Amino acid sequence: MKKRTLATLSLLLVTAGCSEDVDVVRYGHIEEHWQAEQFKLNARDQHVDAEALLHLCEDDERLSELDGQTFSVLGMAYATRAPFVTDDYDGYAFTEVTYVEGDAVYALCRSNEMEGYRAAKLEDRPPYFKDEVGMEISLLPTVHLATERERDALEEPDAFYQEGHDIRVYPDTLMTISPGLSGTIEFKIGDKIVDFPSLDFNPQFGEQRKFVALGYDALTNLPHFLLSHDGVHYSTSVMKDSDILLNGADYLSVRPLFKEGDMESMALIPLYDLTIDTGRQKSSKTVSIRYRPSLPGTGADDPNERSVAYFHKYPYHSDVPLPFPDAVSVSGEAYERLVRALETATPSTKSGETKDYEHLTMLHGNLGQQFEVSYQQRSKKVDVFVKDMKTGAGFKLSSVGAETFKELFPQAFE
């Protein structure tokens, strides 16, 4: 009898000990926060499992390369989380997936918290894209010589967006670049990479060839880059290289160097030899380009996961952002203090009274957790109870945790 009693007491102690160690903060995807859709060339499907999409892009397995030199872009899907509070975009998030097929089927993921792309290999095409023909695209861009028709378009009166500039064109410098799967074409003048222009390619629908040429301002003789996405309308930018160009040039000459062919990753391709004579100084520079791929394996190992907690009067609704002070928020060190306060809580079946602020939503990257908050006022202190809205588990904050909660959200106790 004594052995049975001791065993029962031991079991109770073990159970009690386990209950004290329960994690209060347990992040997951909050289903009602996310809206998802997927697209192919001529159709859209709004019945998409957002959580499955998010899990696909959060898989720890990373691919370092894709098999194949040409790919078929089947379509894309994306999931978005609307801003939580009016004029506050900390809670906004998106995850985008582009499905491509080379020697295998891949999901290419990017998000607002990720640098570059992550790639996941799939067993087969997703059902929605099973019969899709897709859009063909090469892994690397290709340089083409412009056609006579494309060169003639440069002479049209409305070829340039800017007004008040008389831009003269070097027709022989016009080249076209067909897109690569994902990456950026950088321009160099001599040994210097310039911030502008640059050409970005993404594995999405609507990617078109880029058109590049050189011209000059008839008044100042300053050389200009000419860029177009359709071969009809061009934007221009001054080719800024050094102080010798600030007051214009007396004479310019350009010699095209480029040839048709595929670009190679990070290989420098000379485009033009440019000679500039200012009267006081004469210099020659080579204008070059190189392709910097961004796929795959360039996603940050540790995504920049933003953490913010909202304490709010009304339930979250994706179409109705909450204005201040209906929702107040904490982030940074204050957020960490809130987490520590919650982790002091112990399981409890009790609850208190609800006040104006009764909803606590914690966001950690794409994950989050929602609580209902209630209070019980005592003579000298207040008890704070939280209830996990997903599991229904209830907790009571320690006295220290309750004080921290009160310091972080004084509005709830006014």
Side-chain angles (χ1 to χ4, degrees):
M1 184 67 177
K2 289 183 179 179
K3 290 183 179 179
R4 183 179 300 174
T5 302
L6 288 173
T8 303
L9 287 173
S10 298
L11 180 61
L12 289 172
L13 288 172
V14 171
T15 304
C18 289
S19 66
E20 296 292 333
D21 295 335
V22 171
D23 289 331
V24 180
V25 179
R26 303 180 65 180
Y27 298 119
H29 296 121
I30 302 176
E31 182 179 353
E32 58 267 32
H33 282 192
W34 292 91
Q35 308 292 322
E37 295 181 87
Q38 56 189 8
F39 300 83
K40 48 191 178 184
L41 281 173
N42 299 304
R44 180 177 70 172
D45 182 9
Q46 294 178 299
H47 304 288
V48 182
D49 185 346
E51 186 168 1
L53 201 65
L54 295 170
H55 276 301
L56 174 65
C57 291
E58 292 165 356
D59 194 333
D60 288 337
E61 186 176 350
R62 314 274 178 86
L63 296 179
S64 60
E65 61 181 13
L66 305 182
D67 295 328
Q69 293 300 311
T70 59
F71 296 85
S72 178
V73 181
L74 305 175
M76 62 176 294
Y78 68 87
T80 57
R81 182 176 63 200
F84 200 98
V85 180
T86 307
D87 299 328
D88 177 4
Y89 288 89
D90 280 345
Y92 170 78
F94 80 85
T95 291
E96 176 189 279
V97 182
T98 304
Y99 298 97
V100 303
E101 186 174 40
D103 294 345
V105 181
Y106 301 97
L108 311 180
C109 299
R110 69 174 179 172
S111 75
N112 57 297
E113 296 184 335
M114 188 187 304
E115 293 183 8
Y117 283 83
R118 293 179 183 172
K121 188 174 181 179
L122 306 180
E123 293 295 329
D124 199 358
R125 289 186 175 196
Y128 185 66
F129 303 104
K130 193 166 187 64
D131 299 321
E132 185 68 8
V133 174
M135 180 181 65
E136 294 299 320
I137 191 169
S138 296
L139 179 64
L140 299 172
T142 303
V143 175
H144 305 274
L145 299 175
T147 66
E148 183 177 353
R149 182 177 180 181
E150 290 165 344
R151 288 194 295 268
D152 289 344
L154 284 166
E155 304 297 333
E156 294 295 325
D158 60 347
F160 301 103
Y161 289 114
Q162 287 88 343
E163 296 181 0
H165 293 278
D166 185 5
I167 300 296
R168 308 293 173 85
V169 181
Y170 296 105
D172 291 343
T173 65
L174 181 61
M175 55 178 280
T176 67
I177 305 176
S178 61
L181 186 61
S182 177
T184 299
I185 290 181
E186 302 171 330
F187 284 74
K188 295 185 69 175
I189 302 176
D191 296 328
K192 179 182 177 183
I193 297 176
V194 296
D195 294 331
F196 187 86
S198 64
L199 303 177
D200 294 321
F201 297 116
N202 295 310
Q204 302 166 0
F205 294 132
E207 286 294 337
Q208 303 292 330
R209 289 183 300 160
K210 313 295 185 182
F211 297 78
V212 180
L214 292 188
Y216 65 96
D217 188 307
L219 179 63
T220 64
N221 273 346
L222 283 177
H224 281 63
F225 282 113
L226 312 180
L227 299 177
S228 176
H229 299 284
D230 58 8
V232 177
H233 300 98
Y234 284 80
S235 62
T236 69
S237 61
V238 177
M239 188 184 294
K240 296 180 180 178
D241 175 48
S242 65
D243 293 339
I244 65 173
L245 296 180
L246 292 179
N247 298 316
D250 293 334
Y251 175 77
L252 292 174
S253 65
V254 176
R255 182 167 65 94
L257 303 174
F258 62 87
K259 299 178 181 180
E260 288 191 315
D262 295 334
M263 299 185 70
E264 296 181 9
S265 176
M266 300 303 294
L268 203 61
I269 297 178
L271 299 183
Y272 318 108
D273 268 343
L274 176 66
T275 300
I276 305 166
D277 189 345
T278 65
R280 304 185 311 275
Q281 185 176 354
K282 186 176 182 180
S283 63
S284 295
K285 295 290 180 70
T286 299
V287 179
S288 308
I289 56 173
R290 68 179 181 184
Y291 182 64
R292 182 184 295 276
S294 61
L295 175 74
T298 57
D301 289 337
D302 296 311
N304 182 27
E305 293 178 326
R306 295 175 293 179
S307 297
V308 58
Y310 296 97
F311 200 29
H312 46 112
K313 297 180 179 180
Y314 310 107
Y316 170 88
H317 194 289
S318 60
D319 295 329
V320 187
L322 297 169
F324 178 87
D326 290 346
V328 293
S329 64
V330 295
S331 58
E333 176 59 26
Y335 182 92
E336 297 302 323
R337 291 183 63 201
L338 175 62
V339 171
R340 291 195 294 269
L342 291 170
E343 291 293 2
T344 69
T346 55
S348 175
T349 58
K350 295 181 179 180
S351 62
E353 297 180 354
T354 58
K355 296 186 178 181
D356 287 345
Y357 293 86
E358 57 180 298
H359 304 279
L360 175 65
T361 300
M362 304 179 67
L363 301 179
H364 180 66
N366 287 340
L367 305 177
Q369 190 172 9
Q370 299 178 107
F371 295 97
E372 291 178 351
V373 184
S374 61
Y375 321 87
Q376 183 177 340
Q377 185 69 50
R378 296 192 186 186
S379 57
K380 294 185 179 181
K381 66 176 184 177
V382 62
D383 291 333
V384 178
F385 300 90
V386 294
K387 180 181 178 181
D388 188 311
M389 294 178 61
K390 184 175 183 179
T391 65
F395 304 90
K396 177 187 174 182
L397 271 63
S398 70
S399 57
V400 174
E403 283 299 316
T404 299
F405 194 92
K406 187 175 180 179
E407 291 175 12
L408 294 174
F409 300 115
Q411 301 88 345
F413 300 89
E414 293 174 352

